[in-house]
Amino acid sequence: MQAVILFGVLLSCPLMAIAKRAPALVRNFRLQSFFLFLATLSLGAGEGRVDLYIIAGLLFLLKVLLIPEILYRITRRIKANENIGLFINAQLSLFFVLGMMYAAWVFSKAMFPFAAVLKTTLLAAAFCVVLSGMFLMIFRISALAQIIGMLVMENGIFLLASTVSGGMPFFVEIAIFFDVFVSVVIMGFFVYQINKLFTHINVNKLSRLKG
Amino acid sequence: MDPLSLFFLSVIFLISFPSAVYSFGYLKNEASGKKQALALSLLVLFVAAMVWVVAARNLVVFLVAWEIMSLVSYFLVVFDSTQEKSVQAGTIYIVMTHLGTAFLVIAFLIMSKYAHAFDFASVKAACALMPEKTKNFVFICLFIGFGTKAGLVPLHIWLPFAHPQAPSHISAIMSGVMIKTAIYGIIRFVIMLLGVDSIWWGVWVLVFALISCLVGVVYALMEHDIKRLLAFHSVENIGIILLGVGLAMFFLSLHLYYLAVLSMIAGLYHLVNHAIFKGLLFLCSGSVYKATGTRDMEKLGGLIKNMPVTAACFLLGAMAISALPPLNGFVSEWLTLQAFFLGAGNVGSAGKLFLGVGAGLLALTSGLAAACFVKAFGIIFLAKPRSRQAQNAFEVSFSMKLAQVFLSLLTVVFGVASGVVIKLLAGICAFVLEVDATQMNFSLNNFVLSPQPGNALYLSPPLLALLIVVFGVFAFLAYTFFGNRKVRVFETWGCGYYKLDSRNEYTATAFSKAFRIAFSFFLLPYRKTQKIRESFYHVKSFSYETHTTPVFRKYFYDQILKIVFRSAKFGRRMQPGSIHLYLGYIFLTLLLLLVFMHKF
């Protein structure tokens, strides 16, 4: 069961890397968050901890329902262009992400050489998610992709925390959820404003503001 | 407080009090009331910081005091912030002084690493156990750090900019006292804490001191700005002081303790002397500036008629700095020369040659300094006024005159009473060098200096003074009784021309031309001429300028600046303004850290 869920989380990384349009990216993000929710739920069921159930519920509510909905709304609102703009084309991006997956695996094996395979794999998956979030932020032009990249990184860190140390303290987790939600709202607002002012949200053109 | 700190403390107060008195007259009508109050409080802070520097007994405390001193003096340099020149001078100063502080920090960190503490006593104990190589490295760092503050060539670059731009009483303190704190640093940290045990340290200090002497005086000869001229003389005199200190280090490493004490006395004596006469000269130049509004010597002249007191004080200061007997500068330079000669008799042949050459160069320096002050006094105070401002000059206010007269009396006192001074200094030097000096005699009855025991070599400044006075009286009497007493008032003889005006007068540039030619291998003079013609036959105007190349600036500092700017331009490409690239940097750093963690 755990392996299937992990596979889902991992699979969403290359999926996001090859997405060319904003709705596709949001959909893949939703998929990843859903698998993350499943992972947390199964962990909670396995250990019988109530706080994990609550966190899983919050995760579902925020990252699967609310945030993707806000992002969809932004894409619809700014309507100008659904393309997120690729610095690196989809095929090369796929190679990149696969390479990062391998690197994460090598790294986590080097870090915990005597840990169980499942734990090492979980760690590698978490690293891979963080790295692919970073990848999205760097190699995509649209500001929307940057928001999603950040959220993906956040997912990765969540996974990392729950695999390495059995989850963060309950209240910290709650606070982080709240932070993420607020930041998405704020960034969405900014993206909307930027679009209104410049009629696009291409971050690479910000360098024109340089003195 | 140990004797060394007390000595420096007295030097600080000896110069700072007259300067403070002087500042009341100097700043009057010069700045608004608020600004005068600011000047006074900065002055107090400056003096307090210097006191703190010499009183500190802890590396960190010393560094903090040192930094406060540098910063306050920076604010005083840019005090006249309406002038762009001041701001520029301040920038050069603060960059150079922090460069020096950086080297000090390196040296102090190494010292404290060995001592596991910051107080001087434990540092001293630790330095004795330091390996030879580390010790040498610490010495070099300390030498660069303090050398920057002292204005040693080639680190002197800030001095001729910063000192002239500060208000004159501050120039007097900066030149008279502040740069001496660097000498304090060298004595305290190199001789007392680190301990001299390699011969090359002393040789190294001596070589740089000799270079400073010559370069300082040669540049001073070329200068027409009176305060810049004095600033270059500070470079020269710091060199002379360090000759004494360097000789002491040299003799100490050869275990010639008597000579070491003698050289240290010469160094410290010149230190206090330089503080007095350089303070005096800066105050006088400030009075000239206050009276005429210019520091350019070519626009002055004939001031002795309107400003007799200032002229007399300046003359005394000029005589003292030119080492004329019986004033104080003479005694200390004579002692330094004696240390050279006496040392040459006690070392091997290579040492003989080195010390002989050093003595020769020191003599050359004094000669050039005398020439320079003949020029300075002659052009500023004698002959006809060269401009309207000089013509309309008037004597300065009482408080300014008071400070000048006080300091000029000190030049005489420190010359005539050298027997007493030398005894006091012997105690300090014995403490510094940790030598028992009770058996050493440097003077007979506080009256005659006798630095060479056994050799009948004596100098008695009071007798010399008496001799000069007696000769003067005799000459005057002879003139009164036998001279041609008929006074004829007539125009100065001017080669048969009549209607001579100030444009026909000898200029400072013309005076220094001979030296410009003699030292052209170093000064690299060049000239610029420009003719504006109406037609081929009629030249409307013809301008002729002569300049000297600032060698250190052009071939050393400008090259460094070029490299810095070039690398900054290259480094700027890293920052094109693209968010993606910046994110990429973070990403790359993260990956590198992961690889790093994997490796180690």
Side-chain angles (χ1 to χ4, degrees):
Chain A
M1 181 66 192
Q2 197 115 42
V4 176
I5 295 165
L6 202 64
F7 179 71
V9 174
L10 264 183
L11 184 67
S12 59
C13 291
L15 279 180
M16 271 188 279
I18 57 170
K20 285 180 186 166
R21 294 176 308 112
L25 198 57
V26 177
R27 200 155 46 239
N28 288 328
F29 169 69
R30 176 176 268 175
L31 188 70
Q32 189 182 48
S33 302
F34 181 68
F35 277 114
L36 207 60
F37 155 70
L38 285 184
T40 318
L41 203 64
S42 74
L43 200 66
E47 296 187 10
R49 277 162 56 183
V50 185
D51 57 337
L52 279 181
Y53 283 122
I54 298 175
I55 289 173
L58 270 174
L59 212 157
F60 186 77
L61 189 71
L62 280 176
K63 283 192 175 159
V64 182
L65 296 182
L66 262 173
I67 291 177
E69 195 50 45
I70 293 172
L71 292 175
Y72 272 131
R73 191 166 291 178
I74 292 170
T75 47
R76 243 178 285 133
R77 182 84 71 80
I78 57 182
K79 59 194 149 181
N81 200 345
E82 287 195 327
N83 267 335
I84 52 173
L86 309 183
F87 275 132
I88 291 183
N89 69 21
Q91 290 81 356
L92 206 55
S93 302
L94 185 63
F95 273 114
F96 249 93
V97 170
L98 290 176
M100 285 190 301
M101 241 179 235
Y102 178 70
W105 168 251
V106 169
F107 171 72
S108 51
K109 251 182 98 172
M111 221 167 127
F112 298 106
F114 307 112
V117 179
L118 185 66
K119 188 165 183 181
T120 318
T121 320
L122 268 171
L123 193 71
F127 265 120
C128 177
V129 173
V130 171
L131 289 178
S132 58
M134 198 82 195
F135 176 83
L136 278 181
M137 287 180 84
I138 295 171
F139 291 108
R140 297 292 177 262
I141 295 170
S142 152
L144 205 68
Q146 252 120 51
I147 299 177
I148 295 173
M150 209 209 71
L151 289 169
V152 170
M153 276 175 77
E154 210 281 323
N155 274 352
I157 289 166
F158 178 83
L159 195 61
L160 198 66
S162 58
T163 50
V164 175
S165 64
M168 280 182 260
F170 178 67
F171 284 103
V172 176
E173 206 73 84
I174 298 284
I176 289 177
F177 275 129
F178 187 70
D179 269 358
V180 168
F181 180 66
V182 169
S183 65
V184 166
V185 171
I186 292 174
M187 283 192 288
F189 179 73
F190 271 125
V191 164
Y192 181 66
Q193 286 295 323
I194 291 172
N195 186 50
K196 220 165 103 179
L197 209 61
F198 296 105
T199 67
H200 64 78
I201 51 169
N202 290 352
V203 179
N204 66 335
K205 285 178 186 162
L206 278 182
S207 61
R208 279 189 204 163
L209 298 175
K210 203 172 66 159
Chain B
M1 280 286 165
D2 55 17
L4 184 68
S5 297
L6 279 177
F7 169 72
F8 276 91
L9 216 57
S10 51
V11 173
I12 290 170
F13 285 120
L14 201 62
I15 309 307
S16 302
F17 272 127
S19 302
V21 170
Y22 179 90
S23 74
F24 287 111
Y26 183 75
L27 288 174
K28 209 173 179 184
N29 308 328
E30 199 85 348
S32 64
K34 248 187 203 168
K35 210 152 185 200
Q36 281 182 37
L38 178 70
L40 195 63
S41 48
L42 278 177
L43 175 66
V44 171
L45 201 60
F46 187 34
V47 174
M50 286 190 293
V51 169
W52 202 16
V53 164
V54 299
R57 284 290 169 276
N58 184 308
L59 292 179
V60 177
V61 175
F62 179 87
L63 214 55
V64 169
W66 184 261
E67 197 56 23
I68 290 176
M69 182 181 79
S70 301
L71 287 179
V72 174
S73 53
Y74 165 75
F75 287 125
L76 285 163
V77 168
V78 298
F79 185 71
D80 192 2
S81 53
T82 48
Q83 278 190 26
E84 200 183 333
K85 255 185 166 177
S86 296
V87 179
Q88 209 182 354
T91 310
I92 294 175
Y93 172 50
I94 203 152
V95 167
M96 285 307 287
T97 196
H98 277 104
L99 202 74
T101 312
F103 278 97
L104 287 188
V105 171
I106 295 172
F108 286 1
L109 284 180
I110 294 173
M111 282 168 129
S112 62
K113 186 186 156 241
Y114 278 89
H116 301 290
F118 290 107
D119 61 295
F120 285 0
S122 44
V123 167
K124 184 173 181 171
C127 282
L129 307 171
M130 211 182 257
E132 187 67 29
K133 269 186 186 161
T134 322
K135 229 172 171 178
N136 288 340
F137 182 71
V138 170
F139 165 68
I140 301 243
C141 285
L142 286 173
F143 186 73
I144 295 174
F146 288 122
T148 313
K149 191 55 132 191
L152 268 186
V153 174
L155 301 164
H156 67 292
I157 193 92
W158 61 273
L159 212 138
F161 289 99
H163 285 199
Q165 283 307 321
S168 293
H169 59 287
I170 298 301
S171 312
I173 299 179
M174 277 177 83
S175 208
V177 189
M178 186 190 78
I179 58 175
K180 307 298 191 313
T181 56
I183 306 288
Y184 168 80
I186 288 178
I187 294 175
R188 170 73 71 190
F189 291 102
V190 175
I191 297 182
M192 291 181 70
L193 293 191
L194 209 54
V196 186
D197 41 32
S198 323
I199 296 180
W200 72 268
W201 289 13
V203 174
W204 171 279
V205 172
L206 281 175
V207 166
F208 277 94
L210 282 171
I211 293 172
S212 297
C213 286
L214 278 174
V215 170
V217 79
V218 168
Y219 273 134
L221 261 170
M222 296 304 121
E223 206 47 68
H224 309 145
D225 181 321
I226 169 171
K227 281 176 84 175
R228 273 177 71 92
L229 181 147
L230 293 176
F232 275 121
H233 269 291
S234 292
V235 175
E236 176 221 333
N237 279 291
I238 279 289
I240 296 177
I241 295 165
L242 275 180
L243 280 182
V245 176
L247 277 175
M249 287 164 71
F250 182 67
F251 293 138
L252 200 61
S253 57
L254 291 173
H255 307 290
L256 299 168
Y257 296 114
Y258 177 82
L259 283 170
V261 173
L262 175 65
S263 328
M264 191 54 117
I265 289 176
L268 289 187
Y269 203 161
H270 198 71
L271 189 148
V272 62
N273 288 345
H274 177 246
I276 292 169
F277 56 62
K278 186 50 63 68
L280 170 63
L281 286 169
F282 263 118
L283 294 189
C284 290
S285 69
S287 300
V288 169
Y289 177 66
K290 174 96 177 164
T292 60
T294 179
R295 298 195 315 240
D296 188 355
M297 281 160 61
E298 309 285 27
K299 287 185 185 140
L300 299 170
L303 292 178
I304 196 168
K305 298 183 189 83
N306 295 334
M307 307 172 72
V309 178
T310 304
C313 292
F314 191 92
L315 184 61
L316 267 177
M319 282 165 67
I321 200 173
S322 314
L324 296 184
L327 299 173
N328 58 359
F330 168 70
V331 180
S332 48
E333 285 197 27
W334 185 80
L335 281 175
T336 313
L337 273 174
Q338 289 306 325
F340 267 113
F341 291 140
L342 202 51
N346 282 313
V347 294
S349 48
K352 271 192 175 64
L353 187 66
F354 176 65
L355 293 180
V357 169
L361 292 179
L362 175 60
L364 175 64
T365 307
S366 321
L368 291 175
C372 185
F373 276 93
V374 167
K375 171 183 109 172
F377 186 78
I379 302 289
I380 296 171
F381 290 100
L382 302 182
K384 280 183 175 175
R386 291 176 177 77
S387 67
R388 192 180 293 268
Q389 296 105 300
Q391 206 163 10
N392 298 335
F394 50 89
E395 185 58 277
V396 290
S397 64
F398 177 71
S399 68
M400 293 164 81
K401 271 191 285 190
L402 188 69
Q404 290 170 9
V405 170
F406 174 70
L407 284 177
S408 30
L409 284 182
L410 281 187
T411 61
V412 180
V413 168
F414 272 79
V416 174
S418 50
V420 183
V421 177
I422 211 170
K423 248 186 192 166
L424 290 174
L425 287 177
I428 297 166
C429 297
F431 167 76
V432 167
L433 301 170
E434 292 171 348
V435 175
D436 179 26
T438 45
Q439 300 303 315
M440 300 178 187
N441 267 325
F442 298 96
S443 66
L444 307 172
N445 314 323
N446 297 340
F447 191 61
V448 180
L449 304 183
S450 59
Q452 296 202 17
N455 296 9
L457 187 105
Y458 302 110
L459 170 78
S460 171
L463 273 183
L464 209 56
L466 197 67
L467 204 68
I468 288 169
V469 170
V470 169
F471 260 112
V473 169
F474 267 112
F476 181 73
L477 289 179
Y479 175 74
T480 329
F481 288 113
F482 305 111
N484 183 1
R485 291 183 59 208
K486 232 193 277 171
V487 175
R488 285 179 298 172
V489 177
F490 199 70
E491 281 286 308
T492 317
W493 164 248
C495 304
Y497 290 97
Y498 55 96
K499 277 210 166 175
L500 289 174
D501 62 4
S502 60
R503 287 188 58 179
N504 302 75
E505 279 175 0
Y506 209 32
T507 61
T509 316
F511 186 91
S512 53
K513 168 122 193 180
F515 299 100
R516 197 155 49 243
I517 293 169
F519 291 99
S520 58
F521 64 90
F522 170 67
L523 291 166
L524 309 176
Y526 60 92
R527 56 184 69 143
K528 267 192 220 161
T529 55
Q530 192 186 20
K531 281 181 189 172
I532 297 172
R533 297 167 186 272
E534 252 176 9
S535 70
F536 183 75
Y537 301 102
H538 184 214
V539 176
K540 200 175 173 192
S541 77
F542 181 77
S543 70
Y544 175 95
E545 287 173 33
T546 168
H547 297 281
T548 53
T549 317
V551 178
F552 290 102
R553 199 162 149 201
K554 191 170 172 191
Y555 295 109
F556 186 60
Y557 287 98
D558 282 0
Q559 303 305 321
I560 291 176
L561 274 186
K562 244 185 227 165
I563 292 168
V564 169
F565 276 114
R566 216 177 288 158
S567 50
K569 225 178 222 171
F570 182 76
R572 220 182 133 175
R573 278 189 226 157
M574 239 183 83
Q575 205 183 8
S578 153
I579 287 180
H580 294 101
L581 198 63
Y582 297 161
L583 284 169
Y585 290 151
I586 299 172
F587 186 59
L588 216 65
T589 315
L590 196 74
L591 281 184
L592 283 179
L593 283 178
L594 288 183
V595 171
F596 182 78
M597 211 172 146
H598 173 65
K599 278 263 178 224
F600 301 99

